[in-house]
Amino acid sequence: MGLVTLKEILSESIEKKYAVGAFDTMNPLMTEAILSAAEEAGKPLILMQIDAMFDLRSDHDVYFKNIRNMIDRTTVPICLMLDHGASYEHCIRAIHYGFSSVMFDGSMLPFEENVRQTKQIVRAAHACGVSVEAEIGHVGGLEAESDPNGSEVDESAYSEPALAQQFAEQTGIDAMAIAFGTVHGKYRGVPKLDYQRLATIRKMVDIPLVMHGGSGVPEDGFRNAVSNGINKINICTQMIQTASERMLRAAEPCEGRRVGFPELYAIAQEAVKDVVKTHMDVFGTQPLTLKQAPAYFGERR
Ligand code: 13P
C-alpha cells in the first residue's frame, strides 16, 4: 500500500480506540527491520527519523529515496515522519525529501510562540498535503540520558487541558503530543502516568493524541493510555536496548567461535522486529480500512 500521511494512518484510531506505533529509525538496517515487522503483522506503522539525525549524514537525496522505495514496496500503510523537528526550516527540509508528515517540537517555547510557529508550519505543510504533529506541555528525558538511573518526570511540565484545547484549536494540527508522565529514554523507577489528565484532554479535543517516551512503559500502562485516549505511541530506546543486549550476548566468544558481522546485523534486525511487533500487539493496532483512497497514494515526485 505504501506511503500515507499521519492524518490518514490515525484516521480510524479514535473511533476504534487503538494506537499506531511510531518507531525511530537510525539506519537502513533498522528501517528494513521496522518495515518488515509491519509487513509481517499486516498492520500500519509510522516510521520516524529524528531531526537531529539529519546532521549525521550528507547523502540525504539517496538516503531518503531509498527509504521511500522501501516504503513503496510494502503492502501495508506506512507514514514517514520527521520526529522532533526543531524549526520551520527543518520541517520544510523533511517535506522536500518526501516525508508525508512532520512533528514540530516547540514544547520549550512560551505558549503564544509555540502557537505562532506551529501555525506557520501547519500552513506550509498542509499546502503540500503533509500532516503535522506538535507538542503542548513538555516530555523531558534524553538530556539526562547519561544518568544510569534514568530521568525524573517533571510534573510541572505536564499538559494543561485548557491550554491543550486552545493549542489544538488555534494551530490546526493533525495530532497533538501531550505530557502526562512519560520521559524520553530511561525512567527513574516505574513510570506513573496521569490517566485522569489524559482522559480530560481526550474529552476536550477531537484530534489524535500522542505519547512520547514509550520505552519502559509497562504493558498495562500502554493499555490504560490507549483506553484513555492515546492514538500514537513513540518508541526508540527499547529497540536500541534490546538489539544491543542481544548483540553483546551473541558476541561473547563461545568455544573459541566468534560470530561475524552479518550474524550480528541479523540478530539486531530480529531484535528490532520483535520489539516493533510486540508493541503493535499491545497497542491494539488494527489494519486500516480506509473508506476512500488516501490522498497520499501514488507518485508524488
Ligand atoms: P523513547 O526513546 O523513550 O522510546 O522515546 C521515543 C520518542 O518519544 C521519540 O519521539
Side-chain angles (χ1 to χ4, degrees):
M1 191 181 250
L3 192 64
V4 297
T5 64
L6 186 68
K7 189 176 171 138
E8 287 160 345
I9 212 161
L10 297 179
S11 60
E12 297 169 5
S13 64
I14 297 181
E15 194 191 333
K16 296 187 178 169
K17 281 202 171 216
Y18 66 81
V20 178
F23 302 90
D24 284 301
T25 181
M26 309 275 161
N27 63 29
L29 284 174
M30 214 167 158
T31 302
E32 202 176 88
I34 293 170
L35 292 179
S36 60
E39 191 77 65
E40 284 172 24
K43 290 178 182 162
L45 164 152
I46 300 157
L47 178 72
M48 302 194 296
Q49 148 115 4
I50 297 171
D51 192 16
M53 297 283 298
F54 265 87
D55 294 338
L56 303 180
R57 323 193 63 95
S58 53
D59 58 344
H60 298 129
D61 247 332
V62 176
Y63 184 72
F64 292 116
K65 198 169 270 176
N66 184 38
I67 290 186
R68 286 285 311 267
N69 284 340
M70 283 161 128
I71 291 174
D72 287 347
R73 286 198 297 272
T74 59
T75 59
V76 287
I78 303 289
C79 166
L80 176 60
M81 176 161 199
L82 178 72
D83 195 17
H84 293 285
S87 64
Y88 176 84
E89 288 77 10
H90 285 199
C91 290
I92 297 300
R93 174 174 64 179
I95 294 170
H96 167 75
Y97 286 114
F99 284 59
S100 69
S101 307
V102 293
M103 185 246 173
F104 168 61
D105 186 355
S107 63
M108 293 297 272
L109 298 170
F111 179 78
E112 299 300 341
E113 186 56 17
N114 192 5
V115 168
R116 191 187 70 76
Q117 291 195 28
T118 303
K119 265 170 85 170
Q120 208 181 19
I121 290 160
V122 167
R123 191 157 174 230
H126 282 183
C128 305
V130 165
S131 301
V132 180
E133 170 191 325
E135 181 167 327
I136 186 73
H138 177 66
V139 178
L142 283 185
E143 48 277 5
E145 202 181 33
S146 51
D147 184 343
N149 297 317
S151 302
E152 197 96 62
V153 173
D154 175 10
E155 292 190 25
S156 70
Y158 281 8
S159 310
E160 271 304 318
L163 280 185
Q165 185 183 35
Q166 279 178 44
F167 188 67
E169 282 172 8
Q170 291 177 19
T171 56
I173 48 174
D174 303 289
M176 183 165 64
I178 57 168
F180 65 106
T182 58
V183 290
H184 293 103
K186 275 185 72 169
Y187 286 85
R188 186 167 299 187
V190 180
K192 289 189 207 67
L193 307 189
D194 186 345
Y195 301 113
Q196 189 54 52
R197 183 180 298 267
L198 164 61
T200 305
I201 297 173
R202 171 74 293 156
K203 283 199 198 98
M204 294 169 80
V205 302
D206 59 3
I207 55 171
L209 297 175
V210 182
M211 176 205 268
H212 279 243
S215 301
V217 171
E219 279 193 27
D220 64 337
F222 285 131
R223 292 206 173 91
N224 283 333
V226 172
S227 68
N228 281 290
I230 284 294
N231 309 103
K232 168 179 181 263
I233 301 177
N234 289 10
I235 303 284
C236 181
T237 306
Q238 190 64 57
M239 291 183 289
I240 296 163
Q241 197 175 316
T242 306
S244 310
E245 284 166 5
R246 290 199 199 167
M247 280 195 292
L248 283 171
R249 229 178 297 136
E252 297 268 317
C254 177
E255 293 171 0
R257 183 183 170 270
R258 278 186 182 278
V259 295
F261 265 143
E263 277 166 280
L264 282 176
Y265 286 152
I267 286 165
Q269 283 195 301
E270 210 48 48
V272 168
K273 249 164 82 168
D274 286 349
V275 171
V276 173
K277 282 166 112 176
T278 308
H279 282 89
M280 288 172 110
D281 269 354
V282 177
F283 300 164
T285 312
Q286 293 180 30
L288 212 52
T289 55
L290 286 169
K291 291 170 192 75
Q292 60 189 62
Y296 223 76
F297 283 177
E299 264 317 297
R300 253 177 43 84
R301 58 180 71 247

